[in-house]
PDB file of all heavy atoms in Angstrom:
ATOM      1  N   VAL A 110      -3.830  10.670  -2.412  1.00  0.00           N
ATOM      2  CA  VAL A 110      -3.962   9.475  -3.236  1.00  0.00           C
ATOM      3  C   VAL A 110      -3.589   8.271  -2.381  1.00  0.00           C
ATOM      4  O   VAL A 110      -2.559   8.291  -1.696  1.00  0.00           O
ATOM      5  CB  VAL A 110      -3.040   9.533  -4.479  1.00  0.00           C
ATOM      6  CG1 VAL A 110      -3.117   8.230  -5.263  1.00  0.00           C
ATOM      7  CG2 VAL A 110      -3.410  10.717  -5.364  1.00  0.00           C
ATOM      8  N   VAL A 111      -4.440   7.238  -2.423  1.00  0.00           N
ATOM      9  CA  VAL A 111      -4.162   5.982  -1.732  1.00  0.00           C
ATOM     10  C   VAL A 111      -4.193   4.880  -2.780  1.00  0.00           C
ATOM     11  O   VAL A 111      -5.115   4.829  -3.606  1.00  0.00           O
ATOM     12  CB  VAL A 111      -5.199   5.703  -0.617  1.00  0.00           C
ATOM     13  CG1 VAL A 111      -4.919   4.369   0.057  1.00  0.00           C
ATOM     14  CG2 VAL A 111      -5.211   6.838   0.402  1.00  0.00           C
ATOM     15  N   GLU A 112      -3.189   4.000  -2.737  1.00  0.00           N
ATOM     16  CA  GLU A 112      -3.060   2.945  -3.749  1.00  0.00           C
ATOM     17  C   GLU A 112      -2.756   1.613  -3.093  1.00  0.00           C
ATOM     18  O   GLU A 112      -1.970   1.538  -2.144  1.00  0.00           O
ATOM     19  CB  GLU A 112      -1.923   3.292  -4.700  1.00  0.00           C
ATOM     20  CG  GLU A 112      -1.588   2.211  -5.689  1.00  0.00           C
ATOM     21  CD  GLU A 112      -0.347   2.524  -6.520  1.00  0.00           C
ATOM     22  OE1 GLU A 112       0.110   3.678  -6.528  1.00  0.00           O
ATOM     23  OE2 GLU A 112       0.153   1.589  -7.159  1.00  0.00           O
ATOM     24  N   ALA A 113      -3.376   0.565  -3.612  1.00  0.00           N
ATOM     25  CA  ALA A 113      -3.055  -0.805  -3.207  1.00  0.00           C
ATOM     26  C   ALA A 113      -3.408  -1.734  -4.358  1.00  0.00           C
ATOM     27  O   ALA A 113      -4.504  -1.647  -4.924  1.00  0.00           O
ATOM     28  CB  ALA A 113      -3.818  -1.220  -1.954  1.00  0.00           C
ATOM     29  N   GLY A 114      -2.475  -2.601  -4.707  1.00  0.00           N
ATOM     30  CA  GLY A 114      -2.730  -3.610  -5.731  1.00  0.00           C
ATOM     31  C   GLY A 114      -3.238  -3.068  -7.050  1.00  0.00           C
ATOM     32  O   GLY A 114      -4.049  -3.700  -7.708  1.00  0.00           O
ATOM     33  N   GLY A 115      -2.792  -1.910  -7.450  1.00  0.00           N
ATOM     34  CA  GLY A 115      -3.215  -1.340  -8.726  1.00  0.00           C
ATOM     35  C   GLY A 115      -4.472  -0.498  -8.663  1.00  0.00           C
ATOM     36  O   GLY A 115      -4.866   0.103  -9.660  1.00  0.00           O
ATOM     37  N   THR A 116      -5.132  -0.439  -7.513  1.00  0.00           N
ATOM     38  CA  THR A 116      -6.305   0.424  -7.352  1.00  0.00           C
ATOM     39  C   THR A 116      -5.869   1.714  -6.677  1.00  0.00           C
ATOM     40  O   THR A 116      -5.229   1.686  -5.633  1.00  0.00           O
ATOM     41  CB  THR A 116      -7.387  -0.262  -6.487  1.00  0.00           C
ATOM     42  OG1 THR A 116      -7.791  -1.470  -7.125  1.00  0.00           O
ATOM     43  CG2 THR A 116      -8.591   0.647  -6.304  1.00  0.00           C
ATOM     44  N   ARG A 117      -6.228   2.846  -7.303  1.00  0.00           N
ATOM     45  CA  ARG A 117      -5.893   4.155  -6.742  1.00  0.00           C
ATOM     46  C   ARG A 117      -7.167   4.960  -6.553  1.00  0.00           C
ATOM     47  O   ARG A 117      -7.986   5.040  -7.467  1.00  0.00           O
ATOM     48  CB  ARG A 117      -4.975   4.932  -7.682  1.00  0.00           C
ATOM     49  CG  ARG A 117      -3.610   4.367  -7.817  1.00  0.00           C
ATOM     50  CD  ARG A 117      -2.780   5.223  -8.772  1.00  0.00           C
ATOM     51  NE  ARG A 117      -1.581   4.510  -9.151  1.00  0.00           N
ATOM     52  CZ  ARG A 117      -1.459   3.792 -10.264  1.00  0.00           C
ATOM     53  NH1 ARG A 117      -2.454   3.704 -11.107  1.00  0.00           N
ATOM     54  NH2 ARG A 117      -0.330   3.176 -10.527  1.00  0.00           N
ATOM     55  N   VAL A 118      -7.291   5.575  -5.387  1.00  0.00           N
ATOM     56  CA  VAL A 118      -8.408   6.478  -5.135  1.00  0.00           C
ATOM     57  C   VAL A 118      -7.855   7.813  -4.665  1.00  0.00           C
ATOM     58  O   VAL A 118      -6.748   7.883  -4.126  1.00  0.00           O
ATOM     59  CB  VAL A 118      -9.405   5.911  -4.091  1.00  0.00           C
ATOM     60  CG1 VAL A 118     -10.049   4.625  -4.589  1.00  0.00           C
ATOM     61  CG2 VAL A 118      -8.758   5.717  -2.742  1.00  0.00           C
ATOM     62  N   LEU A 119      -8.633   8.841  -4.887  1.00  0.00           N
ATOM     63  CA  LEU A 119      -8.292  10.174  -4.415  1.00  0.00           C
ATOM     64  C   LEU A 119      -9.249  10.515  -3.283  1.00  0.00           C
ATOM     65  O   LEU A 119     -10.470  10.425  -3.455  1.00  0.00           O
ATOM     66  CB  LEU A 119      -8.429  11.193  -5.558  1.00  0.00           C
ATOM     67  CG  LEU A 119      -8.133  12.649  -5.229  1.00  0.00           C
ATOM     68  CD1 LEU A 119      -6.701  12.827  -4.726  1.00  0.00           C
ATOM     69  CD2 LEU A 119      -8.385  13.522  -6.460  1.00  0.00           C
ATOM     70  N   VAL A 120      -8.700  10.843  -2.132  1.00  0.00           N
ATOM     71  CA  VAL A 120      -9.515  11.274  -0.997  1.00  0.00           C
ATOM     72  C   VAL A 120      -9.556  12.794  -1.033  1.00  0.00           C
ATOM     73  O   VAL A 120      -8.532  13.454  -0.878  1.00  0.00           O
ATOM     74  CB  VAL A 120      -8.939  10.791   0.345  1.00  0.00           C
ATOM     75  CG1 VAL A 120      -9.811  11.279   1.507  1.00  0.00           C
ATOM     76  CG2 VAL A 120      -8.803   9.275   0.367  1.00  0.00           C
ATOM     77  N   ASP A 121     -10.729  13.334  -1.303  1.00  0.00           N
ATOM     78  CA  ASP A 121     -10.968  14.775  -1.410  1.00  0.00           C
ATOM     79  C   ASP A 121     -10.224  15.370  -2.600  1.00  0.00           C
ATOM     80  O   ASP A 121      -9.255  14.795  -3.100  1.00  0.00           O
ATOM     81  CB  ASP A 121     -10.585  15.526  -0.128  1.00  0.00           C
ATOM     82  CG  ASP A 121     -11.486  15.170   1.046  1.00  0.00           C
ATOM     83  OD1 ASP A 121     -12.645  14.791   0.824  1.00  0.00           O
ATOM     84  OD2 ASP A 121     -11.024  15.277   2.197  1.00  0.00           O
ATOM     85  N   CYS A 122     -10.721  16.493  -3.058  1.00  0.00           N
ATOM     86  CA  CYS A 122     -10.080  17.214  -4.155  1.00  0.00           C
ATOM     87  C   CYS A 122     -10.508  18.674  -4.059  1.00  0.00           C
ATOM     88  O   CYS A 122     -11.553  19.055  -4.577  1.00  0.00           O
ATOM     89  CB  CYS A 122     -10.458  16.625  -5.514  1.00  0.00           C
ATOM     90  SG  CYS A 122      -9.619  17.468  -6.873  1.00  0.00           S
ATOM     91  N   GLY A 123      -9.698  19.442  -3.381  1.00  0.00           N
ATOM     92  CA  GLY A 123     -10.009  20.857  -3.193  1.00  0.00           C
ATOM     93  C   GLY A 123      -9.302  21.769  -4.171  1.00  0.00           C
ATOM     94  O   GLY A 123      -9.198  22.969  -3.930  1.00  0.00           O
ATOM     95  N   PHE A 124      -8.833  21.221  -5.275  1.00  0.00           N
ATOM     96  CA  PHE A 124      -8.061  21.986  -6.257  1.00  0.00           C
ATOM     97  C   PHE A 124      -8.829  22.097  -7.569  1.00  0.00           C
ATOM     98  O   PHE A 124      -9.683  21.267  -7.871  1.00  0.00           O
ATOM     99  CB  PHE A 124      -6.720  21.291  -6.531  1.00  0.00           C
ATOM    100  CG  PHE A 124      -5.978  20.887  -5.302  1.00  0.00           C
ATOM    101  CD1 PHE A 124      -5.893  19.558  -4.930  1.00  0.00           C
ATOM    102  CD2 PHE A 124      -5.379  21.843  -4.497  1.00  0.00           C
ATOM    103  CE1 PHE A 124      -5.219  19.174  -3.788  1.00  0.00           C
ATOM    104  CE2 PHE A 124      -4.699  21.470  -3.348  1.00  0.00           C
ATOM    105  CZ  PHE A 124      -4.619  20.131  -2.986  1.00  0.00           C
ATOM    106  N   SER A 125      -8.467  23.080  -8.378  1.00  0.00           N
ATOM    107  CA  SER A 125      -9.045  23.200  -9.712  1.00  0.00           C
ATOM    108  C   SER A 125      -8.638  21.976 -10.528  1.00  0.00           C
ATOM    109  O   SER A 125      -7.706  21.247 -10.170  1.00  0.00           O
ATOM    110  CB  SER A 125      -8.537  24.466 -10.408  1.00  0.00           C
ATOM    111  OG  SER A 125      -7.150  24.320 -10.722  1.00  0.00           O
ATOM    112  N   LEU A 126      -9.304  21.768 -11.646  1.00  0.00           N
ATOM    113  CA  LEU A 126      -8.984  20.640 -12.510  1.00  0.00           C
ATOM    114  C   LEU A 126      -7.542  20.724 -13.011  1.00  0.00           C
ATOM    115  O   LEU A 126      -6.795  19.740 -12.979  1.00  0.00           O
ATOM    116  CB  LEU A 126      -9.967  20.582 -13.679  1.00  0.00           C
ATOM    117  CG  LEU A 126      -9.886  19.377 -14.592  1.00  0.00           C
ATOM    118  CD1 LEU A 126     -10.001  18.074 -13.823  1.00  0.00           C
ATOM    119  CD2 LEU A 126     -10.984  19.457 -15.654  1.00  0.00           C
ATOM    120  N   THR A 127      -7.119  21.894 -13.436  1.00  0.00           N
ATOM    121  CA  THR A 127      -5.751  22.097 -13.918  1.00  0.00           C
ATOM    122  C   THR A 127      -4.742  21.813 -12.815  1.00  0.00           C
ATOM    123  O   THR A 127      -3.738  21.121 -13.022  1.00  0.00           O
ATOM    124  CB  THR A 127      -5.571  23.528 -14.454  1.00  0.00           C
ATOM    125  OG1 THR A 127      -6.504  23.741 -15.503  1.00  0.00           O
ATOM    126  CG2 THR A 127      -4.151  23.769 -14.947  1.00  0.00           C
ATOM    127  N   GLU A 128      -4.999  22.327 -11.627  1.00  0.00           N
ATOM    128  CA  GLU A 128      -4.086  22.132 -10.503  1.00  0.00           C
ATOM    129  C   GLU A 128      -4.060  20.666 -10.071  1.00  0.00           C
ATOM    130  O   GLU A 128      -2.994  20.127  -9.748  1.00  0.00           O
ATOM    131  CB  GLU A 128      -4.489  23.025  -9.323  1.00  0.00           C
ATOM    132  CG  GLU A 128      -3.533  22.985  -8.159  1.00  0.00           C
ATOM    133  CD  GLU A 128      -2.134  23.527  -8.459  1.00  0.00           C
ATOM    134  OE1 GLU A 128      -1.968  24.308  -9.417  1.00  0.00           O
ATOM    135  OE2 GLU A 128      -1.197  23.149  -7.731  1.00  0.00           O
ATOM    136  N   THR A 129      -5.210  19.997 -10.091  1.00  0.00           N
ATOM    137  CA  THR A 129      -5.257  18.571  -9.732  1.00  0.00           C
ATOM    138  C   THR A 129      -4.430  17.756 -10.707  1.00  0.00           C
ATOM    139  O   THR A 129      -3.635  16.891 -10.297  1.00  0.00           O
ATOM    140  CB  THR A 129      -6.705  18.064  -9.712  1.00  0.00           C
ATOM    141  OG1 THR A 129      -7.447  18.821  -8.742  1.00  0.00           O
ATOM    142  CG2 THR A 129      -6.773  16.587  -9.345  1.00  0.00           C
TER     143      THR A 129
END
Side-chain angles (χ1 to χ4, degrees):
V110 176
V111 178
E112 173 187 346
T116 300
R117 292 180 194 96
V118 297
L119 179 60
V120 179
D121 293 333
C122 182
F124 312 107
S125 69
L126 187 55
T127 301
E128 185 64 22
T129 300

